[in-house]
Amino acid sequence: MSELLYHWLGETPVPYEEGWELQRQLHRRRVADQLPDTVLLLEHEPVYTAGKRTGPWDRPLTDPGAPVVDIDRGGKITWHGPGQLTAYPIVRLPAPMDVVAYVRALEEAVIRMIGEFGLAGMRVEGRTGVWLAADPGRGLPERKIAAIGCRVAKGVTMHGFAVNCNNDLSWFDRIVPCGISDAGVTSLTAELGRDVRVGDILAATEHHLAEVLGASSHRRVVGWPALPEPVDA
């Protein structure tokens, strides 16, 4: 991979449908080689997104206070919103395509990033995402700090990962997050005991994601991408 281009959409939360449509447009253009490998970085307005494996028991039983949107990624239901960094890599995977290796690379990028903040992230067998180990001394179970859900179409990725920074964790109480009922959800702020904002992790996230994806360089553009004319792909 050559240069990886990041688009930071700014601190104003993005409505989910707008961000999803932007992903689709970028995906079509990346498939047609009209764009370089690109990563959207943003915060969303509060939303629950339900992946293809979401069961009725995973969904909110009552009005959760935010839309529930069924989407085309793998995995189950999760929440996105302010205080959470959401990253959408729109990148072409090398041949032969290995989707599992790509997911592990996203996990590795987050593990390295939170390591800069003194947290030891880990993988849990059978559970995608980045976790912190149980802490019996504090009465804490294993808890997820970053969720991952991807889709690959025509060799190009969509969706991605979300890292909890200083978001309100009570949103997760209204669902079975990622279909996992016997573990917790946490954030950088909750673990470190100090306010860690999305902007505080941008540079480290960009560096480590570019590294694990094998990019020769990376740069950040602030603002929404200017798209070339539509293509058929």
Side-chain angles (χ1 to χ4, degrees):
M1 181 185 293
S2 55
E3 182 179 66
L4 188 60
L5 179 63
Y6 291 99
H7 278 277
W8 164 233
L9 302 192
E11 296 179 355
T12 301
V14 176
Y16 186 79
E17 293 285 0
E18 290 184 20
W20 192 14
E21 176 57 26
L22 179 57
Q23 278 196 79
R24 289 191 288 253
Q25 293 184 35
L26 289 171
H27 183 272
R28 288 194 294 270
R29 288 158 175 79
R30 184 67 191 95
V31 168
D33 284 325
Q34 288 195 330
L35 292 174
D37 288 319
T38 300
V39 182
L40 297 177
L41 300 171
L42 64 143
E43 298 177 60
H44 274 303
E45 291 182 354
V47 65
Y48 294 95
T49 63
K52 293 179 179 179
R53 295 177 54 243
T54 302
W57 50 86
D58 300 317
R59 296 173 182 268
L61 297 177
T62 59
D63 181 2
V68 179
V69 181
D70 289 279
I71 62 172
D72 57 355
R73 62 161 169 79
K76 297 193 176 186
I77 193 167
T78 193
W79 174 87
H80 297 302
Q84 180 192 70
L85 174 63
T86 301
Y88 295 134
I90 315 294
V91 302
R92 186 181 299 282
L93 295 184
M97 190 169 65
D98 187 337
V99 178
V100 173
Y102 171 68
V103 171
R104 296 293 170 260
L106 298 186
E107 291 171 342
E108 183 63 24
V110 175
I111 289 169
R112 294 181 189 182
M113 181 275 291
I114 67 173
E116 292 196 15
F117 291 81
L119 296 178
M122 66 178 191
R123 298 177 178 88
V124 174
E125 186 175 356
R127 294 179 170 179
T128 303
V130 176
W131 297 77
L132 301 182
D135 186 343
R138 293 194 292 158
L140 296 175
E142 288 180 346
R143 50 220 183 275
K144 179 179 278 191
I145 198 166
I148 294 175
C150 303
R151 177 172 185 254
V152 181
K154 299 182 180 180
V156 175
T157 65
M158 289 182 67
H159 303 291
F161 62 90
V163 183
N164 296 328
C165 295
N166 63 346
N167 47 294
D168 179 357
L169 295 174
S170 69
W171 286 101
F172 292 101
D173 296 338
R174 304 166 204 184
I175 58 170
V176 180
C178 301
I180 297 167
S181 59
D182 60 346
V185 180
T186 192
S187 67
L188 285 158
T189 292
E191 296 297 326
L192 297 173
R194 59 182 176 86
D195 192 31
V196 180
R197 299 175 179 271
V198 167
D200 297 330
I201 72 168
L202 279 179
T205 300
E206 291 167 349
H207 168 74
H208 291 296
L209 181 59
E211 189 173 61
V212 300
L213 293 180
S216 59
S217 62
H218 67 276
R219 61 186 173 96
R220 182 195 305 172
V221 176
V222 178
W224 290 56
L227 298 176
E229 290 300 314
V231 296
D232 294 323

